[in-house]
Amino acid sequence: TWRMTKPQPPASDISGSWSVFPTVQGVEQGPVCETFTQAGNFLTFSGVANGLGIISASNIQLVFVSNVENCQIATEVTGTLTSASTISGNYTQKGNCGTSPGDKWRAVKGCSSTQLPRGFPDVPLGNYNITVTACVSDTCASSQPFPLTNADINQFAQALLNALNSDINQSWGSSCQASGCSCTSAVTSYTPWNGTSFTITDNFSIVCASGTQTVSLQFTVTKIT
C-alpha cells in the first residue's frame, strides 16, 4: 500500500514574545504581551489570551476562548507574517451571545510591561499635574489637579491604562451585572504628547432596561513648567 500527501510549506518561526495591538470599535488598543511557542506548524500562545494555532509559511490561524458577562466567546484570528518582526490580520468573535464582526489586529516582535500604545511618544521625566474628569451622559465633574513630581510619565500612563481597563471590565462589569444591567467593554483613546499635555480616555456604556448611559473617564496630564 502507499499514499500521497501534500507537504506543508515550511513554517516561519515566530517563537518568542510579541506586542499585540487589537483594534476595537475602530480604535487601536494595546499593546498586550503574548508569548508564542512553536513546534513545526503548531503554535501555542499565552499571556492576556491563551490558545492554539497553526502556521503555514507566513499564514497564521489562531483561536482562543474567553468568558465575558456570562457570554462564552470564541475568537478566531487570521494573520500574515509581513516581515520577520511584524504580523497583521483580522479577527472575528462568535459565542452563545451572538457573533461580532471583529476587527483588525497587528503585532510587533518583542514586548515590555512598560510599552505604550502606538503613536504614544516618549514623554520626558518631569513634573506634571493630573486632572480627572468623569462624565455620565451629559453631566461631567472634574477633580482638582494633583501633582506628580520628578515622574516617569510613561510608566504612570501605562499603569493608568491597565488600572482603568481592569477596573471597568471587572469591577464595573460585576456591579452592572448585579444590578441587572450590563457594561460594554472599555474603549481607550488618547491624544499623543504635544510637548505640554496629553489625555487618556476610557469610554463605555451602561445598558439597563430603563435606558443606556454613556460614561467617560478622562485623565489630562499637563507638564508643570
Side-chain angles (χ1 to χ4, degrees), residues 166-206:
S166 175
D167 187 56
I168 291 168
N169 293 333
Q170 295 179 24
S171 303
W172 277 85
S174 299
S175 299
C176 284
Q177 197 172 57
S179 61
C181 303
S182 64
C183 285
T184 63
S185 295
V187 176
T188 302
S189 61
Y190 59 92
T191 60
W193 171 248
N194 62 11
T196 303
S197 66
F198 67 91
T199 62
I200 300 173
T201 306
D202 261 13
N203 294 300
F204 62 102
S205 297
I206 302 174

Side-chain angles (χ1 to χ4, degrees), residues 27-90:
V27 179
E28 186 174 85
Q29 308 291 299
V32 295
C33 284
E34 292 291 332
T35 299
F36 286 94
T37 302
Q38 184 171 336
N41 290 88
F42 296 96
L43 298 169
T44 60
F45 59 96
S46 60
V48 174
N50 302 284
L52 302 170
I54 58 174
I55 179 169
S56 177
S58 59
N59 298 312
I60 299 166
Q61 291 181 293
L62 309 169
V63 64
F64 63 93
V65 177
S66 55
N67 290 280
V68 179
E69 297 177 359
N70 293 328
C71 296
Q72 187 176 68
I73 301 170
T75 302
E76 299 175 358
V77 182
T78 59
T80 302
L81 192 67
T82 52
S83 75
S85 59
T86 57
I87 301 171
S88 62
N90 299 279

Side-chain angles (χ1 to χ4, degrees), residues 12 56 58-59 68 94 109 120 125 133 144 147 171 186 206 210:
S12 301
S56 177
S58 59
N59 298 312
V68 179
K94 303 175 181 179
K109 191 71 178 286
F120 204 127
L125 191 74
T133 301
Q144 292 294 320
S171 303
I206 302 174
S210 58

Side-chain angles (χ1 to χ4, degrees), residues 131-143 164 172 200-204 214-220:
T131 302
V132 184
T133 301
C135 298
V136 178
S137 295
D138 294 326
T139 303
C140 298
S142 297
S143 71
L164 278 173
W172 277 85
I200 300 173
T201 306
D202 261 13
N203 294 300
F204 62 102
T214 58
V215 180
S216 171
L217 298 177
Q218 183 178 84
F219 287 72
T220 301

